[in-house]
Amino acid sequence: GVFHNPISLQEDQEARNRQESQAARDLNQKYELFVKETETMVQKTKAAMQSRRRNSTYVVAQSAEHVRPLFEVACWPYLATLAVLLEM
């Protein structure tokens, strides 16, 4: 019931999470909060993907010409990031 699963606004929960993360002192508490926040992000992403999946249609492209400007702009930052990662 409501006693075990209280009703709260998303903003209230986010404010509580921020307060908990600021109050966390040791690494174990910080790690637990990190895992909790990561799980929340995964759940939100899954819900967003599932809602979009039902409402979207896919169009098969016959040519790559419509995405060529995107690749021309994006390839150099990706290449630079890859170079930095490979140097590590």
Side-chain angles (χ1 to χ4, degrees), residues 2 21 27 30-31 38 52 57 60 63 80:
V2 176
S21 69
L27 291 176
K30 290 182 180 186
Y31 179 74
T38 304
R52 287 186 183 167
T57 59
V60 177
S63 168

Side-chain angles (χ1 to χ4, degrees), residues 20-63:
E20 287 178 2
S21 69
Q22 290 172 354
R25 297 291 179 209
D26 64 350
L27 291 176
N28 192 27
Q29 286 178 333
K30 290 182 180 186
Y31 179 74
E32 288 175 7
L33 290 170
F34 172 76
V35 169
K36 183 178 173 182
E37 185 175 347
T38 304
E39 289 173 354
T40 303
M41 290 169 55
V42 168
Q43 290 173 355
K44 285 181 182 179
T45 304
K46 283 182 180 179
M49 294 291 282
Q50 288 174 352
S51 70
R52 287 186 183 167
R53 187 177 301 151
R54 290 184 213 120
N55 300 335
S56 66
T57 59
Y58 293 97
V59 178
V60 177
Q62 301 298 323
S63 168

Side-chain angles (χ1 to χ4, degrees), residues 13-25:
Q13 185 63 35
E14 290 171 359
R16 271 189 238 110
N17 290 343
R18 274 193 300 275
Q19 288 176 348
E20 287 178 2
S21 69
Q22 290 172 354
R25 297 291 179 209

